[in-house]
Amino acid sequence: MATMTLLQMTQNILSAMNSDTVDTIQATPESSQVAQHIEDVYSKMMSEKNFPHLHQLSQLTGLGDVAMPTRMQIPALVTDINWIKYDSRTSVTAPIAMREIKYLTPVEFIDRVTNRALQTNVIAYQDTLSNVTMHIYNDRAPVYWTSFDDDYIWFDAFDSNLEATLQQSKSIIHIVKEPVWTASDSFVPDLPSHMFPALLAAAKSTCMAYIKQQPSALEERDSRRQRIAMQEKSRREQVGNQRRIHYGR
């Protein structure tokens, strides 16, 4: 099945329920209900699996804050971070050297960056959000990272000979993006085309049960069959022992 717009799915379900035809999802209270149920079913589907099509590469947002040079921000609409890499070259003329930065839990990170002895290559600066003082290396690329609030990423080091703060352009992150829903006629849900039958079948079954209050054994069977097919076709990404931060924004 090809992809379908929200209006097309709404029209399909209304036809199956022997309801009035519409040319916009907001035409009648019933069509609005159908569109809402489609969204609810879609949201549930997306929360149940780690869909590969939501994985993509991105970059952290550089803040340019010399008072906190190793803090960067997580981009909007990110639900998980699978890994972070940073350019660890030792000179501006050296080739790019992307290195994966190891995740530490917040307590592990704090233990590491508060117990370092102050010396020429270790500087102290205070996190303005928590007033915690961290001891950060200023002569090397970062090795560790963590997040305390699911909004900002903290690193344990930066190379002041190359940069005043950690840079967005030198970061690569592998993320799981949050699906965005738009309640409009032309909106196409962010889903592979072969999974649209499962979405349509589940939404149709839900609408029959909740709007018509006439659960259909046929629609229930089709919904189960399509969900099984979706499970077989959808590949679950494996991240092994890597740490994934989940945000649920």
Side-chain angles (χ1 to χ4, degrees):
M1 177 184 286
T3 60
M4 299 178 70
T5 66
L6 181 55
L7 176 58
Q8 289 171 329
M9 286 188 288
T10 300
Q11 291 170 329
N12 184 295
I13 294 171
L14 288 171
S15 176
M17 297 193 306
N18 294 318
S19 298
D20 294 337
T21 58
V22 298
D23 55 12
T24 177
I25 61 173
Q26 302 295 339
T28 66
E30 190 173 49
S31 65
S32 297
Q33 281 184 288
V34 169
Q36 182 61 58
H37 279 302
I38 296 172
E39 179 183 357
D40 293 343
V41 170
Y42 174 76
S43 297
K44 183 178 180 181
M45 285 177 59
M46 302 313 287
S47 68
E48 290 176 345
K49 283 189 66 62
N50 180 18
F51 286 101
H53 75 281
L54 297 177
H55 290 232
Q56 66 181 38
L57 294 176
S58 185
Q59 293 180 309
L60 293 170
T61 301
L63 301 174
D65 185 354
V66 295
M68 291 183 287
T70 63
R71 188 179 71 160
M72 303 183 79
Q73 191 165 25
I74 300 166
L77 301 178
V78 171
T79 60
D80 292 271
I81 294 179
N82 294 329
W83 49 255
I84 296 175
K85 291 180 181 285
Y86 197 80
D87 184 357
S88 301
R89 74 180 84 180
T90 56
S91 72
V92 293
T93 57
I96 294 174
M98 302 304 297
R99 181 177 68 188
E100 184 169 352
I101 312 302
K102 181 180 178 181
Y103 173 79
L104 296 180
T105 65
V107 66
E108 291 171 333
F109 186 87
I110 286 296
D111 286 345
R112 188 172 294 271
V113 301
T114 56
N115 291 328
R116 290 172 178 165
L118 287 176
Q119 47 194 319
T120 56
N121 68 333
V122 177
I123 62 172
Y125 68 87
Q126 192 175 61
D127 171 18
T128 57
L129 301 177
S130 66
N131 293 323
V132 173
T133 299
M134 303 185 190
H135 296 170
I136 303 298
Y137 287 120
N138 67 356
D139 63 347
R140 65 196 68 180
V143 176
Y144 303 106
W145 70 275
T146 198
S147 180
F148 303 112
D149 57 7
D150 292 351
D151 192 14
Y152 294 95
I153 297 292
W154 287 92
F155 295 89
D156 73 313
F158 77 111
D159 193 338
S160 61
N161 294 316
L162 302 179
E163 54 195 5
T165 66
L166 294 180
Q167 302 296 305
Q168 177 172 324
S169 62
K170 297 175 70 174
S171 70
I172 300 176
I173 57 176
H174 187 237
I175 65 168
V176 181
K177 65 178 181 178
E178 179 181 335
V180 176
W181 185 273
T182 303
S184 67
D185 293 340
S186 59
F187 173 70
V188 177
D190 188 1
L191 199 65
S193 59
H194 68 267
M195 294 183 184
F196 271 77
L199 172 60
L200 183 61
K204 191 177 297 182
S205 176
T206 298
C207 289
M208 292 293 292
Y210 287 96
I211 297 178
K212 288 298 186 181
Q213 296 187 352
Q214 297 174 351
S216 167
L218 178 62
E219 297 298 346
E220 286 287 347
R221 284 198 302 271
D222 185 45
S223 177
R224 286 196 298 271
R225 180 175 61 82
Q226 293 295 344
R227 293 297 287 272
I228 292 171
M230 181 186 73
Q231 294 285 341
E232 292 175 346
K233 291 180 180 179
S234 178
R235 172 178 57 86
R236 182 178 293 273
E237 289 286 338
Q238 299 294 331
V239 295
N241 294 323
Q242 293 179 352
R243 170 70 178 186
R244 298 174 64 215
I245 286 191
H246 177 68
Y247 300 100
R249 298 181 178 183

